[in-house]
Amino acid sequence: MDQSGQPDNLSPILSDQVLFNGEAVLLTFTGDGKLRFTGQSQRCLTVEKEVLGFALEGSRIRVKAVVEKRDGICCFGNSGVLVRQSFVFEHQSQDSLTIWSQKLRDYIDSLGRPKRLLVFVNPYGGKKSANKVFSEDVKPYLEDADIHITLIETKHQLHAKEVAKSMDLSKYDGIVCVSGDGILVE
């Protein structure tokens, strides 16, 4: 418990006045990994489930997230289609920006997310749609999450198996297959 009687993980780690969509809002990052921003309305992003990553852009932090879309508006709930969305927060000082980016980085790193992935794409897999699926549906999410990708397009049957046997797979946190079921069978 903190001094106010709240559980420690609900206490603010950081709280600062920032600009969001041209409006001054209070941005708070809590110990349970929630980014809350309140102005005329209140919003909340759960870092573990919704935030892919972030980027620094001058005095701004662009938080890259996946949120639910219902009826043309983005919502924060438990149903609906997932869409990528960015939330841009402009900080009033370089010190504030530095502290926020370090705390966000530390929290995201503590989640144990992969940093390096080996990606096999079978251009003939999935009814010959694997390249399109990777470039349009998979790659943007991996890039938003700052994951380093090693991409290998398979050339023939059993190619993925040959490559996997000859590589040092310990350099990767995981292997992603974009294909029909062929690469998984290999």
Side-chain angles (χ1 to χ4, degrees), residues 90-178:
E90 185 168 355
H91 292 263
Q92 296 179 11
S93 74
Q94 184 62 42
D95 288 344
S96 173
L97 180 73
T98 301
I99 292 167
W100 273 90
S101 64
Q102 187 59 52
K103 292 292 184 184
L104 280 172
R105 174 63 46 222
D106 290 348
Y107 190 86
I108 290 171
D109 287 348
S110 77
L111 298 173
R113 292 180 176 175
K115 295 184 183 342
R116 297 168 314 275
L117 292 174
L118 175 61
V119 179
F120 287 108
V121 175
N122 176 355
Y124 300 102
K127 298 179 184 172
K128 297 187 179 183
S129 64
N131 278 326
K132 182 179 179 197
V133 167
F134 176 72
S135 64
E136 294 178 10
D137 299 330
V138 177
K139 187 177 180 185
Y141 287 93
L142 298 177
E143 289 174 339
D144 282 355
D146 294 323
I147 295 173
H148 181 273
I149 304 164
T150 301
L151 179 65
I152 297 176
E153 189 173 288
T154 58
K155 305 293 183 203
H156 53 81
Q157 188 174 11
L158 301 178
H159 184 221
K161 186 175 182 178
E162 293 168 9
V163 170
K165 280 185 174 182
S166 67
M167 292 184 77
D168 177 8
L169 297 178
S170 67
K171 297 186 331 187
Y172 302 99
D173 299 315
I175 298 174
V176 174
C177 301
V178 184

Coordinates of all heavy atoms in Angstrom, one line a residue, residues 90-178:
E90 N 2.7 15.5 -26.4 CA 3.8 16.4 -26.5 C 4.1 16.9 -25.1 O 3.3 17.4 -24.3 CB 3.4 17.6 -27.3 CG 4.5 18.6 -27.5 CD 4.2 19.7 -28.6 OE1 3.2 19.6 -29.3 OE2 5.1 20.6 -28.7
H91 N 5.4 16.7 -24.7 CA 5.9 17.1 -23.4 C 6.4 18.5 -23.4 O 6.9 19.0 -24.4 CB 7.0 16.1 -23.0 CG 6.4 14.7 -22.7 ND1 6.1 14.3 -21.5 CD2 6.1 13.7 -23.6 CE1 5.5 13.1 -21.6 NE2 5.5 12.7 -22.8
Q92 N 6.3 19.1 -22.2 CA 6.7 20.5 -22.1 C 8.2 20.7 -21.9 O 8.7 21.8 -22.1 CB 5.9 21.2 -21.0 CG 4.4 21.2 -21.3 CD 3.6 21.8 -20.2 OE1 4.1 22.4 -19.3 NE2 2.3 21.6 -20.3
S93 N 8.9 19.7 -21.6 CA 10.4 19.8 -21.4 C 11.1 18.5 -21.9 O 10.5 17.5 -21.9 CB 10.7 20.0 -19.9 OG 10.6 18.9 -19.1
Q94 N 12.4 18.7 -22.2 CA 13.2 17.6 -22.6 C 13.4 16.6 -21.5 O 13.4 15.4 -21.7 CB 14.6 18.1 -23.1 CG 15.4 17.0 -23.7 CD 14.8 16.3 -24.9 OE1 14.2 16.9 -25.8 NE2 14.9 15.0 -24.9
D95 N 13.5 17.1 -20.2 CA 13.7 16.3 -19.1 C 12.5 15.4 -18.9 O 12.6 14.2 -18.6 CB 13.9 17.1 -17.8 CG 15.3 17.7 -17.7 OD1 16.2 17.3 -18.5 OD2 15.4 18.7 -16.9
S96 N 11.3 15.9 -19.0 CA 10.1 15.1 -18.9 C 10.0 14.1 -20.0 O 9.7 12.9 -19.7 CB 8.8 16.1 -19.0 OG 7.6 15.3 -19.1
L97 N 10.3 14.4 -21.2 CA 10.4 13.5 -22.3 C 11.3 12.3 -22.1 O 11.0 11.2 -22.3 CB 10.7 14.2 -23.6 CG 10.8 13.4 -24.9 CD1 9.4 13.0 -25.3 CD2 11.5 14.2 -26.0
T98 N 12.5 12.7 -21.6 CA 13.5 11.7 -21.3 C 13.0 10.7 -20.2 O 13.2 9.5 -20.3 CB 14.8 12.3 -20.8 OG1 15.3 13.2 -21.9 CG2 15.9 11.3 -20.5
I99 N 12.5 11.2 -19.1 CA 12.0 10.4 -18.0 C 10.9 9.5 -18.5 O 10.9 8.3 -18.2 CB 11.6 11.2 -16.8 CG1 12.8 11.9 -16.2 CG2 10.8 10.4 -15.8 CD1 12.4 13.0 -15.2
W100 N 9.9 10.0 -19.2 CA 8.8 9.2 -19.7 C 9.3 8.1 -20.7 O 8.8 7.0 -20.5 CB 7.8 10.1 -20.5 CG 6.8 10.7 -19.5 CD1 6.9 11.9 -18.9 CD2 5.5 10.1 -19.1 NE1 5.8 12.1 -18.1 CE2 4.9 11.0 -18.2 CE3 4.9 9.0 -19.4 CZ2 3.7 10.8 -17.6 CZ3 3.6 8.7 -18.8 CH2 3.1 9.6 -18.0
S101 N 10.2 8.5 -21.6 CA 10.6 7.4 -22.5 C 11.4 6.3 -21.8 O 11.2 5.1 -22.1 CB 11.4 8.0 -23.6 OG 12.6 8.6 -23.2
Q102 N 12.2 6.7 -20.8 CA 12.9 5.7 -20.0 C 12.0 4.8 -19.2 O 12.1 3.5 -19.2 CB 13.9 6.3 -19.1 CG 14.9 5.3 -18.4 CD 15.6 4.5 -19.4 OE1 16.3 5.0 -20.3 NE2 15.6 3.2 -19.3
K103 N 11.0 5.3 -18.6 CA 10.0 4.5 -17.8 C 9.2 3.6 -18.7 O 9.0 2.5 -18.3 CB 9.1 5.4 -16.9 CG 9.8 6.2 -15.8 CD 10.3 5.2 -14.7 CE 10.9 6.0 -13.6 NZ 11.5 5.2 -12.6
L104 N 8.8 4.1 -19.8 CA 8.0 3.3 -20.8 C 8.9 2.2 -21.3 O 8.5 1.0 -21.4 CB 7.5 4.1 -21.9 CG 6.2 4.9 -21.6 CD1 5.9 5.9 -22.8 CD2 5.0 4.0 -21.4
R105 N 10.1 2.5 -21.6 CA 11.1 1.5 -22.2 C 11.3 0.4 -21.1 O 11.3 -0.8 -21.4 CB 12.4 2.1 -22.6 CG 13.5 1.2 -23.0 CD 13.2 0.3 -24.2 NE 12.6 1.0 -25.3 CZ 11.6 0.6 -26.1 NH1 11.0 -0.6 -25.9 NH2 11.1 1.4 -27.1
D106 N 11.6 0.8 -19.9 CA 11.8 -0.1 -18.8 C 10.6 -1.0 -18.6 O 10.8 -2.2 -18.4 CB 12.2 0.6 -17.5 CG 13.5 1.3 -17.5 OD1 14.3 1.0 -18.4 OD2 13.8 2.1 -16.6
Y107 N 9.4 -0.5 -18.6 CA 8.2 -1.3 -18.4 C 8.0 -2.3 -19.5 O 7.8 -3.5 -19.3 CB 7.0 -0.4 -18.2 CG 5.8 -1.2 -17.7 CD1 5.6 -1.5 -16.4 CD2 4.9 -1.8 -18.6 CE1 4.6 -2.2 -15.9 CE2 3.9 -2.6 -18.2 CZ 3.7 -2.8 -16.8 OH 2.7 -3.6 -16.4
I108 N 8.1 -1.8 -20.7 CA 8.0 -2.7 -21.9 C 9.0 -3.8 -21.9 O 8.7 -4.9 -22.1 CB 8.0 -1.9 -23.2 CG1 6.7 -1.0 -23.3 CG2 8.1 -2.8 -24.4 CD1 6.7 0.0 -24.5
D109 N 10.3 -3.4 -21.6 CA 11.3 -4.4 -21.5 C 11.1 -5.5 -20.4 O 11.4 -6.6 -20.6 CB 12.7 -3.8 -21.3 CG 13.2 -3.1 -22.5 OD1 12.6 -3.3 -23.6 OD2 14.2 -2.3 -22.4
S110 N 10.4 -5.1 -19.3 CA 10.1 -6.0 -18.2 C 9.1 -7.0 -18.6 O 9.0 -8.0 -17.9 CB 9.7 -5.2 -17.0 OG 8.3 -4.8 -17.1
L111 N 8.4 -6.8 -19.7 CA 7.3 -7.7 -20.1 C 7.9 -9.0 -20.8 O 7.2 -9.9 -21.0 CB 6.3 -7.0 -21.0 CG 5.6 -5.9 -20.4 CD1 4.7 -5.2 -21.5 CD2 4.7 -6.4 -19.3
G112 N 9.2 -8.9 -21.1 CA 9.8 -10.1 -21.8 C 9.4 -10.3 -23.2 O 9.4 -11.4 -23.7
R113 N 9.0 -9.3 -23.9 CA 8.6 -9.4 -25.3 C 9.8 -9.7 -26.2 O 10.9 -9.4 -25.9 CB 8.0 -8.1 -25.8 CG 6.7 -7.8 -25.1 CD 6.1 -6.5 -25.6 NE 4.8 -6.2 -25.1 CZ 4.1 -5.1 -25.3 NH1 4.7 -4.1 -26.0 NH2 3.0 -4.9 -24.7
P114 N 9.5 -10.4 -27.3 CA 10.6 -10.7 -28.2 C 11.2 -9.4 -28.8 O 10.5 -8.5 -29.0 CB 9.9 -11.6 -29.3 CG 8.5 -11.3 -29.2 CD 8.2 -10.9 -27.8
K115 N 12.5 -9.5 -29.1 CA 13.2 -8.4 -29.7 C 13.7 -8.7 -31.1 O 13.9 -7.9 -31.9 CB 14.3 -7.9 -28.8 CG 13.9 -7.4 -27.5 CD 15.1 -6.8 -26.7 CE 14.8 -6.3 -25.3 NZ 13.4 -6.0 -24.9
R116 N 13.9 -10.0 -31.3 CA 14.5 -10.5 -32.6 C 13.7 -11.7 -33.0 O 13.5 -12.7 -32.3 CB 15.9 -10.9 -32.4 CG 16.9 -9.8 -32.1 CD 18.2 -10.3 -31.6 NE 18.2 -11.4 -30.7 CZ 18.1 -11.3 -29.4 NH1 18.0 -10.1 -28.8 NH2 18.1 -12.3 -28.6
L117 N 13.1 -11.7 -34.2 CA 12.3 -12.8 -34.8 C 12.8 -13.2 -36.1 O 13.2 -12.3 -36.9 CB 10.9 -12.4 -34.9 CG 10.1 -12.2 -33.6 CD1 8.7 -11.7 -33.9 CD2 10.0 -13.4 -32.8
L118 N 12.9 -14.5 -36.3 CA 13.1 -15.1 -37.6 C 11.8 -15.3 -38.3 O 10.9 -16.0 -37.7 CB 13.9 -16.4 -37.5 CG 14.2 -17.2 -38.8 CD1 15.0 -16.4 -39.8 CD2 14.9 -18.5 -38.4
V119 N 11.6 -14.7 -39.5 CA 10.3 -14.9 -40.2 C 10.5 -15.6 -41.5 O 11.3 -15.2 -42.3 CB 9.7 -13.5 -40.5 CG1 8.4 -13.6 -41.2 CG2 9.5 -12.7 -39.2
F120 N 9.8 -16.7 -41.6 CA 9.7 -17.4 -42.9 C 8.5 -17.1 -43.6 O 7.4 -17.1 -43.0 CB 9.7 -19.0 -42.6 CG 11.0 -19.5 -42.2 CD1 11.2 -20.0 -40.9 CD2 12.1 -19.7 -43.1 CE1 12.4 -20.5 -40.5 CE2 13.3 -20.2 -42.7 CZ 13.5 -20.6 -41.4
V121 N 8.6 -16.7 -44.9 CA 7.4 -16.4 -45.7 C 7.5 -17.4 -46.9 O 8.4 -17.4 -47.6 CB 7.4 -15.0 -46.2 CG1 6.2 -14.8 -47.1 CG2 7.3 -14.0 -45.0
N122 N 6.4 -18.2 -47.0 CA 6.3 -19.0 -48.2 C 5.4 -18.3 -49.2 O 4.2 -18.2 -49.0 CB 5.6 -20.3 -47.8 CG 5.4 -21.3 -48.9 OD1 5.6 -20.9 -50.1 ND2 4.9 -22.5 -48.7
P123 N 6.0 -17.8 -50.3 CA 5.2 -17.0 -51.3 C 4.1 -17.8 -51.9 O 3.2 -17.2 -52.5 CB 6.3 -16.6 -52.3 CG 7.4 -17.6 -52.2 CD 7.4 -18.0 -50.7
Y124 N 4.1 -19.1 -51.9 CA 3.1 -19.9 -52.4 C 2.1 -20.4 -51.4 O 1.0 -21.0 -51.7 CB 3.7 -21.1 -53.2 CG 4.6 -20.7 -54.3 CD1 6.0 -20.7 -54.1 CD2 4.1 -20.2 -55.5 CE1 6.8 -20.3 -55.1 CE2 4.9 -19.7 -56.5 CZ 6.3 -19.8 -56.3 OH 7.1 -19.4 -57.3
G125 N 2.3 -20.1 -50.1 CA 1.5 -20.6 -49.1 C 0.2 -19.7 -48.9 O 0.2 -18.5 -49.3
G126 N -0.8 -20.3 -48.3 CA -2.0 -19.5 -48.0 C -2.6 -19.0 -49.3 O -3.0 -17.8 -49.4
K127 N -2.8 -19.9 -50.2 CA -3.3 -19.5 -51.5 C -2.6 -18.4 -52.2 O -3.2 -17.4 -52.8 CB -4.8 -19.2 -51.4 CG -5.6 -20.3 -50.9 CD -7.1 -20.0 -50.7 CE -7.8 -21.2 -50.1 NZ -9.2 -20.9 -49.8
K128 N -1.3 -18.4 -52.1 CA -0.3 -17.4 -52.7 C -0.5 -16.0 -52.1 O -0.2 -15.0 -52.8 CB -0.4 -17.4 -54.2 CG 0.0 -18.8 -54.8 CD 0.1 -18.7 -56.3 CE 0.5 -20.0 -56.9 NZ 0.7 -20.0 -58.3
S129 N -1.0 -15.9 -50.9 CA -1.3 -14.6 -50.3 C -0.3 -14.3 -49.2 O -0.4 -13.3 -48.5 CB -2.7 -14.5 -49.8 OG -2.9 -15.4 -48.8
A130 N 0.7 -15.2 -48.9 CA 1.5 -15.0 -47.7 C 2.3 -13.7 -47.8 O 2.5 -13.0 -46.7 CB 2.5 -16.2 -47.6
N131 N 2.9 -13.4 -48.9 CA 3.7 -12.1 -49.0 C 2.8 -10.9 -48.7 O 3.2 -10.0 -47.9 CB 4.3 -11.9 -50.4 CG 5.6 -12.7 -50.6 OD1 6.3 -12.8 -49.6 ND2 5.8 -13.2 -51.8
K132 N 1.6 -10.9 -49.2 CA 0.7 -9.8 -48.9 C 0.3 -9.8 -47.5 O 0.2 -8.7 -46.8 CB -0.6 -9.9 -49.8 CG -1.5 -8.8 -49.6 CD -2.7 -8.9 -50.5 CE -3.7 -7.8 -50.3 NZ -5.0 -8.0 -50.8
V133 N 0.0 -10.9 -46.9 CA -0.4 -11.0 -45.5 C 0.7 -10.5 -44.6 O 0.5 -9.7 -43.7 CB -0.8 -12.5 -45.1 CG1 -0.9 -12.6 -43.6 CG2 -2.1 -12.9 -45.8
F134 N 2.0 -10.9 -44.9 CA 3.1 -10.5 -44.1 C 3.3 -8.9 -44.3 O 3.3 -8.3 -43.2 CB 4.4 -11.2 -44.5 CG 5.6 -10.6 -43.8 CD1 5.7 -10.9 -42.5 CD2 6.5 -9.8 -44.4 CE1 6.8 -10.4 -41.7 CE2 7.6 -9.3 -43.7 CZ 7.7 -9.5 -42.4
S135 N 3.3 -8.4 -45.5 CA 3.6 -7.0 -45.7 C 2.5 -6.1 -45.1 O 2.8 -5.0 -44.6 CB 4.0 -6.7 -47.1 OG 2.9 -6.9 -47.9
E136 N 1.3 -6.5 -45.3 CA 0.1 -5.7 -44.9 C -0.4 -5.9 -43.5 O -0.9 -5.0 -42.8 CB -1.0 -5.8 -45.9 CG -0.7 -5.3 -47.3 CD -1.8 -5.5 -48.3 OE1 -2.9 -5.9 -47.8 OE2 -1.6 -5.3 -49.5
D137 N -0.3 -7.2 -43.0 CA -0.9 -7.5 -41.7 C 0.0 -7.8 -40.6 O -0.3 -7.6 -39.4 CB -1.9 -8.7 -41.9 CG -3.0 -8.4 -42.9 OD1 -3.4 -7.3 -43.0 OD2 -3.5 -9.4 -43.5
V138 N 1.2 -8.4 -40.9 CA 2.1 -8.8 -39.8 C 3.2 -7.8 -39.6 O 3.5 -7.3 -38.5 CB 2.7 -10.2 -40.2 CG1 3.7 -10.6 -39.1 CG2 1.6 -11.2 -40.3
K139 N 3.9 -7.4 -40.7 CA 5.1 -6.5 -40.6 C 4.8 -5.2 -39.9 O 5.6 -4.8 -39.0 CB 5.7 -6.3 -42.0 CG 7.0 -5.6 -41.9 CD 7.6 -5.4 -43.3 CE 8.9 -4.7 -43.3 NZ 9.4 -4.4 -44.7
P140 N 3.7 -4.5 -40.1 CA 3.5 -3.2 -39.4 C 3.4 -3.4 -37.9 O 3.9 -2.5 -37.2 CB 2.1 -2.8 -40.0 CG 2.0 -3.4 -41.3 CD 2.7 -4.8 -41.2
Y141 N 2.8 -4.5 -37.4 CA 2.8 -4.7 -36.0 C 4.1 -4.9 -35.4 O 4.5 -4.4 -34.3 CB 1.8 -5.9 -35.7 CG 0.4 -5.5 -35.9 CD1 -0.3 -5.8 -37.1 CD2 -0.4 -5.0 -34.8 CE1 -1.6 -5.5 -37.2 CE2 -1.7 -4.7 -35.0 CZ -2.3 -5.0 -36.2 OH -3.6 -4.7 -36.4
L142 N 4.9 -5.7 -36.1 CA 6.3 -6.0 -35.6 C 7.1 -4.8 -35.6 O 7.9 -4.5 -34.7 CB 6.9 -7.1 -36.5 CG 6.2 -8.5 -36.5 CD1 6.9 -9.5 -37.4 CD2 6.1 -9.0 -35.1
E143 N 7.0 -3.9 -36.7 CA 7.7 -2.7 -36.7 C 7.3 -1.7 -35.6 O 8.1 -1.1 -35.0 CB 7.6 -2.0 -38.1 CG 8.3 -2.7 -39.2 CD 8.0 -2.2 -40.6 OE1 7.0 -1.5 -40.8 OE2 8.8 -2.5 -41.5
D144 N 6.0 -1.6 -35.3 CA 5.5 -0.8 -34.3 C 6.1 -1.2 -32.9 O 6.3 -0.4 -32.0 CB 4.0 -0.8 -34.2 CG 3.3 0.1 -35.3 OD1 4.1 0.8 -36.0 OD2 2.1 0.1 -35.4
A145 N 6.3 -2.5 -32.8 CA 6.8 -3.0 -31.5 C 8.4 -3.0 -31.5 O 9.0 -3.6 -30.6 CB 6.3 -4.5 -31.3
D146 N 9.0 -2.4 -32.5 CA 10.5 -2.3 -32.5 C 11.2 -3.7 -32.5 O 12.2 -3.8 -31.9 CB 11.0 -1.4 -31.4 CG 10.6 0.0 -31.6 OD1 10.5 0.5 -32.7 OD2 10.3 0.7 -30.5
I147 N 10.6 -4.6 -33.2 CA 11.1 -6.0 -33.3 C 12.0 -6.1 -34.5 O 11.6 -5.7 -35.6 CB 10.0 -7.0 -33.3 CG1 9.3 -7.0 -32.0 CG2 10.6 -8.4 -33.6 CD1 8.0 -7.9 -31.9
H148 N 13.3 -6.5 -34.3 CA 14.2 -6.7 -35.4 C 13.7 -8.0 -36.1 O 13.6 -9.1 -35.5 CB 15.6 -6.8 -34.9 CG 16.6 -7.0 -36.1 ND1 16.9 -8.3 -36.5 CD2 17.3 -6.2 -36.8 CE1 17.8 -8.2 -37.5 NE2 18.0 -6.9 -37.7
I149 N 13.6 -7.9 -37.5 CA 13.1 -9.0 -38.3 C 14.2 -9.5 -39.2 O 14.8 -8.7 -39.9 CB 11.9 -8.6 -39.1 CG1 10.8 -8.0 -38.3 CG2 11.4 -9.7 -40.0 CD1 9.8 -7.2 -39.1
T150 N 14.4 -10.8 -39.2 CA 15.2 -11.4 -40.3 C 14.2 -12.2 -41.1 O 13.6 -13.2 -40.7 CB 16.3 -12.4 -39.7 OG1 17.1 -11.7 -38.8 CG2 17.1 -13.1 -40.8
L151 N 14.0 -11.8 -42.4 CA 13.0 -12.3 -43.2 C 13.7 -13.3 -44.2 O 14.7 -13.0 -44.9 CB 12.4 -11.2 -44.0 CG 11.3 -11.6 -45.0 CD1 10.1 -12.3 -44.3 CD2 10.8 -10.4 -45.8
I152 N 13.1 -14.5 -44.3 CA 13.6 -15.5 -45.3 C 12.4 -15.9 -46.1 O 11.4 -16.4 -45.5 CB 14.3 -16.7 -44.6 CG1 15.5 -16.2 -43.9 CG2 14.6 -17.7 -45.6 CD1 16.3 -17.2 -43.1
E153 N 12.4 -15.7 -47.4 CA 11.4 -16.2 -48.3 C 11.8 -17.6 -48.7 O 12.9 -17.8 -49.3 CB 11.2 -15.3 -49.5 CG 10.0 -15.6 -50.3 CD 9.8 -14.6 -51.4 OE1 9.4 -13.4 -51.0 OE2 10.0 -14.9 -52.5
T154 N 11.0 -18.6 -48.5 CA 11.3 -20.0 -48.9 C 11.3 -20.1 -50.4 O 10.5 -19.5 -51.1 CB 10.4 -21.0 -48.2 OG1 9.0 -20.7 -48.6 CG2 10.5 -21.0 -46.7
K155 N 12.2 -20.9 -50.9 CA 12.4 -21.1 -52.3 C 11.8 -22.4 -52.8 O 11.4 -22.5 -54.0 CB 13.9 -21.0 -52.7 CG 14.5 -19.7 -52.3 CD 14.0 -18.5 -53.0 CE 14.8 -17.3 -52.5 NZ 14.1 -16.1 -52.7
H156 N 11.7 -23.4 -52.0 CA 11.2 -24.7 -52.4 C 10.8 -25.5 -51.1 O 11.0 -25.0 -50.0 CB 12.3 -25.5 -53.1 CG 13.6 -25.6 -52.3 ND1 13.9 -26.5 -51.3 CD2 14.8 -24.8 -52.4 CE1 15.1 -26.3 -50.9 NE2 15.7 -25.3 -51.5
Q157 N 10.2 -26.6 -51.3 CA 9.7 -27.4 -50.2 C 10.9 -27.8 -49.4 O 12.0 -28.1 -49.9 CB 9.0 -28.7 -50.8 CG 8.3 -29.5 -49.7 CD 7.5 -30.7 -50.3 OE1 7.6 -31.0 -51.5 NE2 6.7 -31.3 -49.5
L158 N 10.8 -27.8 -48.1 CA 11.8 -28.2 -47.1 C 12.9 -27.1 -46.9 O 13.8 -27.3 -46.2 CB 12.4 -29.5 -47.3 CG 11.4 -30.7 -47.3 CD1 12.1 -32.0 -47.6 CD2 10.7 -30.8 -46.0
H159 N 12.8 -26.0 -47.6 CA 13.8 -24.9 -47.5 C 13.8 -24.4 -46.1 O 14.9 -24.2 -45.6 CB 13.5 -23.8 -48.5 CG 14.5 -22.7 -48.6 ND1 14.2 -21.4 -48.6 CD2 15.9 -22.8 -48.5 CE1 15.3 -20.7 -48.6 NE2 16.3 -21.5 -48.6
A160 N 12.7 -24.1 -45.5 CA 12.7 -23.6 -44.1 C 13.4 -24.6 -43.1 O 14.2 -24.2 -42.3 CB 11.3 -23.4 -43.6
K161 N 13.2 -25.9 -43.3 CA 13.9 -26.9 -42.5 C 15.4 -26.8 -42.7 O 16.2 -26.9 -41.8 CB 13.3 -28.3 -42.9 CG 13.8 -29.4 -42.0 CD 13.1 -30.7 -42.3 CE 13.6 -31.8 -41.4 NZ 12.9 -33.0 -41.7
E162 N 15.8 -26.7 -44.0 CA 17.3 -26.6 -44.3 C 17.9 -25.4 -43.6 O 19.0 -25.5 -43.0 CB 17.5 -26.6 -45.8 CG 17.1 -27.8 -46.5 CD 17.1 -27.6 -48.1 OE1 17.5 -26.5 -48.5 OE2 16.6 -28.5 -48.8
V163 N 17.2 -24.3 -43.7 CA 17.7 -23.0 -43.2 C 17.8 -23.1 -41.7 O 18.8 -22.8 -41.1 CB 16.8 -21.8 -43.6 CG1 17.2 -20.6 -42.8 CG2 16.9 -21.6 -45.1
A164 N 16.7 -23.6 -41.0 CA 16.7 -23.7 -39.6 C 17.8 -24.6 -39.1 O 18.4 -24.4 -38.0 CB 15.3 -24.3 -39.1
K165 N 18.1 -25.7 -39.8 CA 19.2 -26.6 -39.3 C 20.6 -25.9 -39.4 O 21.5 -26.3 -38.7 CB 19.2 -27.9 -40.2 CG 18.2 -28.9 -39.8 CD 18.3 -30.1 -40.6 CE 17.4 -31.3 -40.2 NZ 17.6 -32.5 -40.9
S166 N 20.7 -25.0 -40.4 CA 22.1 -24.4 -40.6 C 22.3 -23.1 -39.8 O 23.4 -22.6 -39.9 CB 22.2 -24.2 -42.1 OG 21.4 -23.2 -42.5
M167 N 21.3 -22.6 -39.2 CA 21.4 -21.3 -38.5 C 21.6 -21.5 -37.0 O 21.2 -22.5 -36.4 CB 20.1 -20.5 -38.7 CG 19.9 -20.0 -40.1 SD 18.5 -19.0 -40.3 CE 19.1 -17.5 -39.6
D168 N 22.1 -20.5 -36.4 CA 22.2 -20.4 -34.9 C 20.9 -19.7 -34.5 O 20.7 -18.5 -34.5 CB 23.4 -19.5 -34.5 CG 23.4 -19.4 -33.0 OD1 22.7 -20.0 -32.3 OD2 24.3 -18.6 -32.5
L169 N 19.9 -20.6 -34.1 CA 18.6 -20.1 -33.7 C 18.6 -19.4 -32.4 O 17.6 -18.7 -32.0 CB 17.6 -21.2 -33.8 CG 17.4 -21.8 -35.2 CD1 16.4 -23.0 -35.1 CD2 16.9 -20.8 -36.2
S170 N 19.6 -19.5 -31.6 CA 19.7 -18.9 -30.3 C 19.8 -17.3 -30.4 O 19.5 -16.6 -29.5 CB 20.9 -19.4 -29.5 OG 22.1 -19.0 -30.1
K171 N 20.0 -16.9 -31.7 CA 20.1 -15.4 -31.9 C 18.7 -14.8 -31.9 O 18.5 -13.6 -32.0 CB 20.8 -15.1 -33.2 CG 22.2 -15.5 -33.3 CD 23.0 -15.0 -34.5 CE 22.2 -14.9 -35.8 NZ 22.9 -14.6 -37.0
Y172 N 17.6 -15.7 -31.9 CA 16.3 -15.2 -32.1 C 15.4 -15.5 -30.9 O 15.7 -16.5 -30.2 CB 15.6 -15.8 -33.4 CG 16.4 -15.5 -34.6 CD1 17.3 -16.4 -35.1 CD2 16.3 -14.3 -35.2 CE1 18.1 -16.1 -36.2 CE2 17.0 -14.0 -36.3 CZ 17.9 -14.9 -36.9 OH 18.7 -14.6 -38.0
D173 N 14.4 -14.7 -30.6 CA 13.5 -14.9 -29.6 C 12.3 -15.8 -30.0 O 11.5 -16.3 -29.2 CB 13.0 -13.6 -29.0 CG 14.1 -12.8 -28.5 OD1 14.9 -13.3 -27.7 OD2 14.1 -11.5 -28.8
G174 N 12.2 -16.0 -31.3 CA 11.1 -16.8 -31.8 C 11.2 -16.9 -33.3 O 11.9 -16.2 -34.0
I175 N 10.3 -17.8 -33.9 CA 10.2 -18.0 -35.3 C 8.8 -17.8 -35.7 O 7.9 -18.3 -35.0 CB 10.7 -19.4 -35.7 CG1 12.1 -19.6 -35.3 CG2 10.4 -19.6 -37.2 CD1 12.6 -21.0 -35.6
V176 N 8.6 -17.0 -36.7 CA 7.2 -16.7 -37.2 C 7.1 -17.3 -38.6 O 8.0 -17.1 -39.4 CB 6.9 -15.2 -37.3 CG1 5.6 -14.9 -38.0 CG2 7.0 -14.6 -35.9
C177 N 6.1 -18.0 -38.9 CA 5.8 -18.6 -40.2 C 4.6 -18.0 -40.8 O 3.5 -18.0 -40.2 CB 5.6 -20.1 -40.1 SG 7.0 -21.0 -39.4
V178 N 4.8 -17.4 -42.0 CA 3.6 -16.9 -42.7 C 3.5 -17.7 -44.0 O 4.3 -17.7 -44.9 CB 3.8 -15.4 -43.1 CG1 2.6 -14.8 -43.8 CG2 4.2 -14.6 -41.9

